[in-house]
Amino acid sequence: MKLDPRHLEMLFAIVEKGGLTEGAEMLGKSQPSLSRSLSILEDRIGAALFEKDRRPLRPTELGLALAAEGRKIYQAGRGSSAILAQYKDGKTGAVRVGGTPFFLDGVISGMLAGFQYERPDVRIDQVYGYMNNLIPRLEDNVLDLAILPMRASSIPPGYDFEQILPGRNVIACRAGHPLARRGSVKLADIGQYLWIAPPVDSPLYQDLRAVLKEIGIKDFKVSFTGGSLSATVNILTGSDALTVLPFSVVFMMRNQHSVSALSIRIGDPDRHLGILTKSKSELKPAARKVRNHIRQEFETLSKSITRVSQDTVWRP
């Protein structure tokens, strides 16, 4: 015989609270409706669940046994409600974030760590890539959002791109580099040094070529090509080689006193860092929380960069 779980939950409330009125208050129902449900349940099983004419109510042996099952239903309902509330508030779930390696490792991963400190039950799956392989992942719903530098003309139809940081690159070197100690550096001064090249399929590689073209160098000498930020920084800090990095990445490493930005202004790329999402795809609650957190973090970062860079990075 299959019994209505709601009736078992009702029975548990009556037994737990010792009366119809108290049980109704516990479940947020009216006393008459609880009384009707009790009658229906007793008719269904063909036996009394409470001893007749006893006040306060005293459950029968069968009533106690069924009330014990009703307790499980009550607790499961409250537990599932709590799980749903946590999910809707973005405190649980999985968020899939894609982005370019240098930005993810140098800037965004630290921001995500702060997010997870506040919301430890949210799992973040991080995926490296560039525009040409991240957009198909978004299209296939393999990613929730992508954080990458893009041109306005490159944003595909059906996608929203929210700029969070203007594009800005610098020539980077180790902190004790001979050029780092100069008060003024000219473009011609950097031509004699070896270069660390980003991956050839990265936007930053095109930026490096553009910088060297600006100083008239077509065949530049590459000492190292690395796909990760940590590998690039290790080579950079252990040699006199130079490279081009987003200023935000160098800025985030400022407290380590290992990498410097040369005091020379180079042309900024026409790409800007932003959050790319599908226009008609509603983000999951946790993904919305991650997006909002990244927005706020970059607002703070942008203000800090503006304040510090005006005084210490570029000189006329």
Side-chain angles (χ1 to χ4, degrees), residues 113-257:
F115 177 88
Q116 290 196 302
Y117 180 81
E118 298 175 353
R119 296 172 181 266
D121 292 326
V122 174
R123 190 184 83 243
I124 297 179
D125 299 327
Q126 183 173 283
V127 177
Y128 294 115
Y130 301 105
M131 183 180 68
N132 61 345
N133 48 35
L134 291 179
I135 290 179
R137 290 173 178 264
L138 286 169
E139 186 66 29
D140 294 338
N141 296 315
V142 177
L143 285 180
D144 295 305
L145 49 91
I147 306 171
L148 70 168
M150 293 188 70
R151 296 182 177 90
S153 59
S154 300
I155 302 171
Y159 285 84
D160 295 323
F161 183 76
E162 179 184 2
Q163 180 179 319
I164 54 178
L165 194 69
R168 181 174 294 174
N169 289 335
V170 293
I171 297 176
C173 62
R174 64 180 176 88
H177 195 282
L179 294 182
R181 296 193 293 266
R182 293 190 184 183
S184 177
V185 178
K186 298 179 181 180
L187 288 174
D189 296 334
I190 66 177
Q192 60 180 303
Y193 292 96
L194 298 174
W195 290 84
I196 299 171
V200 294
D201 58 342
S202 71
L204 205 56
Y205 181 80
Q206 302 304 319
D207 294 340
L208 172 61
R209 292 185 63 89
V211 168
L212 295 178
K213 183 179 180 181
E214 194 174 333
I215 61 175
I217 299 177
K218 296 181 179 179
D219 299 320
F220 57 95
K221 296 180 180 179
V222 174
S223 63
F224 181 81
T225 299
S228 71
L229 178 62
S230 60
T232 297
V233 170
N234 285 337
I235 299 298
L236 195 67
T237 56
S239 69
D240 281 340
L242 305 174
T243 193
V244 171
L245 289 175
F247 179 51
S248 57
V249 172
V250 177
F251 184 85
M252 294 296 285
M253 294 189 292
R254 68 193 185 282
N255 293 330
Q256 301 175 18
H257 306 293

Side-chain angles (χ1 to χ4, degrees), residues 239-296:
S239 69
D240 281 340
L242 305 174
T243 193
V244 171
L245 289 175
F247 179 51
S248 57
V249 172
V250 177
F251 184 85
M252 294 296 285
M253 294 189 292
R254 68 193 185 282
N255 293 330
Q256 301 175 18
H257 306 293
S258 58
V259 176
S260 295
L262 295 184
S263 56
I264 185 170
R265 185 68 181 255
I266 61 176
D268 291 330
D270 58 352
R271 297 179 310 277
H272 304 293
L273 188 68
I275 303 173
L276 185 70
T277 54
K278 291 177 69 174
S279 301
K280 296 182 179 180
S281 179
E282 185 175 354
L283 290 177
K284 296 175 292 187
R288 288 199 303 269
K289 293 292 184 180
V290 168
R291 181 186 61 187
N292 293 341
H293 179 80
I294 293 296
R295 283 173 178 165
Q296 294 170 0

Side-chain angles (χ1 to χ4, degrees), residues 12-55:
F12 159 70
I14 297 172
V15 172
E16 179 73 9
K17 294 300 182 179
L20 287 166
T21 301
E22 296 81 1
E25 290 177 356
M26 177 180 173
L27 298 178
K29 299 181 180 295
S30 67
Q31 189 271 345
S33 69
L34 214 64
S35 180
R36 288 193 297 271
S37 296
L38 178 59
S39 297
I40 292 172
L41 180 58
E42 288 182 326
D43 290 343
R44 171 71 172 156
I45 64 178
L49 298 173
F50 291 90
E51 295 181 7
K52 189 175 181 181
D53 299 328
R54 294 296 297 266
R55 293 293 183 271

